[in-house]
Amino acid sequence: MQMPAAASGVRARDSSDTRPHVVIIGAGFAGLAAAKALADAPVRISLIDRRNHHLFQPLLYQVAMAALNPSDIAYPIRAILRDQKNVQVLLAEARHIALAERRVELDNGTLSFDYLIIATGASHSYFGNDQWAPFAPGLKSIEDALDIRRRVFLAYEAAERESDAAAQQAWQTFVVVGGGPTGVELAGALAEIGRHTLKDDFRHTDPRAVRVVLVEGRDRLLGSFDPRLSADAEASLQKLGVEVRTNQRVTAVSETAVTLGTGEQLAARTVLWAAGVQASKLVQTLPVSRDRAGRVEVQADLSLPTQPNVFVIGDTARMLSHGQEVPGMAQGAAQAGRHVGRQIAAEVRGEKNARQAFRYRHLGAMATIGRASAIAEIGRWKQSGFFAWWFWWVLHIYGLVGFRNRLSAFLNWGWHWLTFQRGARLITGEAPPLPRIDDSQTPRARVDTGTGTDTGIDKDNNADTDSPP
């Protein structure tokens, strides 16, 4: 198959190169796995991403919660693929796909393709309430993580300056919407930041008075896990002082409050969104069937029904295996990428029966709750507590790309474990207006949180703090 010459904005390759051209959009788990699966195939690959780095998204919340630096969980795409000679990495944004013409329009130029793999992931979904987005950021990119980190630590700075007790408590109230793995992990980390990391850093407010509320619309947290593990996770969160609200939905979010379906209004200046996702905007204009989350309905081999040379994988697609929907996890995306890459390689080589139905292999699921507690479900093995956390920790260190990233994450986590400190507590960007400083403020009160709730005031500023969990 001969590839048409590339248009302006993207360097054209040698016209004598007649190898089929595979264009991959997105360098997440799915796109990167597809590219690697084509390493020995007689094709040439253009891998497009609007970021120059691959992001290990399962640890993104650790950046948002100041436990890790962005560079600990990101790695340059070019460095990952530097030894794969049949791939060209392009820093670009795909704006439109012309299926009939087999062409991808970029922010500056176009690419024609023989095979196209769309792996652009997903973004936040506010279920039709996009006006909530400025007040309740989600977590999908490093930029999102840094914005959340900034909001969290600015909230404590604002509370330190606030003279009104109710306003001060609102600054130290954090609402997390969504009881999946991301929501659970964020809620646990937020409780630890106030009760342990910052407990001795302020003079006019006590960070241990932090209030973390986790709101979930279903009847239990972590609905994809075994009910016993869900109950263990809820108990661990409550031990950290997190208020868990199940069977409750959010009906309004503003700069100062969250309103629940029961009519209750929570005064909170920081809201984090972990409740829903929708497929990337790139596929929304394609003439294909999509589900309610905007994910493309693909065939068993993960191709489009009317375009067998176009594949959609990862969070952008509604993938089925053995009649069951593939969960939106990194392992599913990576397996889909490898499956599609191998299919294309076999087809280009002229092998018979190159197209096969995708078969997802579930390797297990894990979620961490705080510094020494997690849940793990791997086949029939179900575990919660310290051992599950240790297992989670080892697997996530191993999953990082590059020795430097693994070593850096290991050292940062080790320091955090020993000292309860988080080394990445930086507030970046211009700070918004904070409450006016009142020089008449009295030194902070101490809050007894030994039972996980605020039970009284201890006026002795030298009183012992809580023991570590």
Side-chain angles (χ1 to χ4, degrees):
M1 289 179 282
Q2 179 73 34
M3 171 196 166
S8 62
V10 176
R11 184 181 64 183
R13 287 179 178 248
D14 187 347
S15 59
S16 64
D17 189 345
T18 59
R19 293 176 297 172
H21 186 204
V22 181
V23 174
I24 303 174
I25 308 175
F29 289 103
L32 203 58
K36 289 182 176 181
L38 289 163
D40 298 322
V43 299
R44 51 197 179 92
I45 306 165
S46 293
L47 178 60
I48 303 167
D49 201 289
R50 59 183 179 180
R51 301 285 187 269
N52 77 330
H53 55 268
H54 168 73
L55 180 64
F56 190 74
Q57 205 167 61
L59 290 180
L60 192 57
Y61 87 96
Q62 292 267 344
V63 176
M65 297 292 102
L68 294 176
N69 293 300
S71 58
D72 294 333
I73 65 168
Y75 203 79
I77 301 168
R78 295 184 185 277
I80 297 172
L81 299 172
R82 64 159 57 101
D83 296 327
Q84 188 172 330
K85 302 305 181 184
N86 67 342
V87 63
Q88 171 189 214
V89 178
L90 295 172
L91 183 65
E93 182 177 359
R95 296 284 180 82
H96 178 71
I97 299 171
L99 293 177
E101 293 81 8
R102 295 190 176 186
R103 186 179 69 250
V104 178
E105 297 177 7
L106 309 175
D107 50 354
N108 185 18
T110 62
L111 282 176
S112 297
F113 61 84
D114 297 305
Y115 291 96
L116 176 64
I117 302 174
I118 305 173
T120 48
S123 59
H124 320 304
S125 173
Y126 294 89
F127 308 109
N129 297 287
D130 291 344
Q131 70 275 14
W132 298 349
F135 313 120
L139 185 59
K140 287 294 180 183
S141 67
I142 285 179
E143 289 82 3
D144 293 336
L146 294 178
D147 177 44
I148 289 174
R149 185 184 72 180
R150 178 173 175 270
R151 290 175 186 241
V152 168
F153 289 102
L154 272 174
Y156 283 100
E157 296 295 334
E160 176 76 352
R161 299 162 62 110
E162 185 61 70
S163 57
D164 180 77
Q168 188 180 76
Q169 184 59 66
W171 280 111
Q172 291 188 185
T173 297
F174 301 88
V175 177
V176 181
V177 184
T182 299
V184 166
E185 290 166 344
L186 285 171
L190 284 168
E192 287 190 333
I193 286 174
R195 295 176 185 275
H196 300 290
T197 303
L198 302 179
K199 63 184 177 63
D200 296 319
D201 288 5
F202 293 85
R203 299 296 174 262
H204 294 285
T205 184
D206 189 347
R208 294 188 306 158
V210 61
R211 183 188 185 194
V212 182
V213 183
L214 177 59
V215 182
E216 166 57 41
R218 292 174 294 184
D219 61 352
R220 64 184 176 95
L221 304 178
L222 301 168
S224 62
F225 285 79
D226 182 271
R228 180 179 65 82
L229 294 180
S230 295
D232 289 346
E234 182 171 345
S236 295
L237 286 171
Q238 290 173 339
K239 185 177 179 181
L240 289 172
V242 176
E243 298 177 33
V244 178
R245 307 288 189 89
T246 54
N247 285 316
Q248 296 196 34
R249 298 186 181 276
V250 171
T251 58
V253 181
S254 69
E255 185 178 5
T256 59
V258 173
T259 304
L260 304 181
T262 58
E264 180 183 4
Q265 192 171 72
L266 303 172
R269 300 301 297 258
T270 307
V271 183
L272 305 182
W273 191 264
V277 296
Q278 62 183 359
S280 65
K281 294 181 179 180
L282 180 64
V283 299
Q284 302 305 313
T285 59
L286 294 179
V288 296
S289 297
R290 293 181 293 274
D291 66 4
R292 290 186 302 174
R295 298 177 302 173
V296 175
E297 304 273 4
V298 294
Q299 297 195 105
D301 65 355
L302 305 183
S303 67
L304 294 183
T306 59
Q307 300 285 338
N309 63 319
V310 177
F311 300 86
V312 186
I313 56 178
D315 291 340
T316 318
R318 182 176 181 267
M319 304 184 295
L320 298 178
S321 175
H322 302 287
Q324 300 294 318
E325 188 171 310
V326 176
M329 301 170 63
Q331 57 182 297
Q335 289 179 36
R338 287 191 291 270
H339 179 80
V340 168
R342 290 166 183 164
Q343 283 188 140
I344 294 175
E347 194 163 278
V348 169
R349 294 189 181 106
E351 298 178 13
K352 294 182 179 180
N353 301 318
R355 298 294 181 101
Q356 299 289 331
F358 175 53
R359 293 291 180 258
Y360 168 67
R361 182 187 175 196
H362 186 60
L363 301 177
M366 309 180 77
T368 182
I369 309 104
R371 65 183 248 110
S373 180
I375 60 172
E377 184 174 357
I378 302 174
R380 295 182 179 180
W381 184 71
K382 298 176 176 63
Q383 184 72 37
S384 61
F386 177 81
F387 183 73
W389 175 85
W390 179 86
F391 193 59
W392 173 92
W393 183 80
V394 170
L395 286 182
H396 282 73
I397 287 286
Y398 177 78
L400 291 170
V401 178
F403 173 78
R404 188 201 66 81
N405 290 48
R406 294 187 183 116
L407 179 62
S408 178
F410 175 81
L411 293 175
N412 279 331
W413 266 337
W415 177 255
H416 170 44
W417 171 261
L418 292 172
T419 66
F420 284 87
Q421 296 300 306
R422 296 169 184 261
R425 287 157 38 196
L426 305 180
I427 298 175
T428 56
E430 184 177 352
L434 296 176
R436 183 179 181 274
I437 295 175
D438 184 356
D439 195 42
S440 65
Q441 293 182 81
T442 58
R444 71 178 186 174
R446 304 292 293 184
V447 178
D448 179 9
T449 57
T451 62
T453 57
D454 299 341
T455 58
I457 300 297
D458 181 353
K459 297 181 179 179
D460 180 5
N461 285 346
N462 297 316
D464 292 337
T465 59
D466 296 349
S467 59

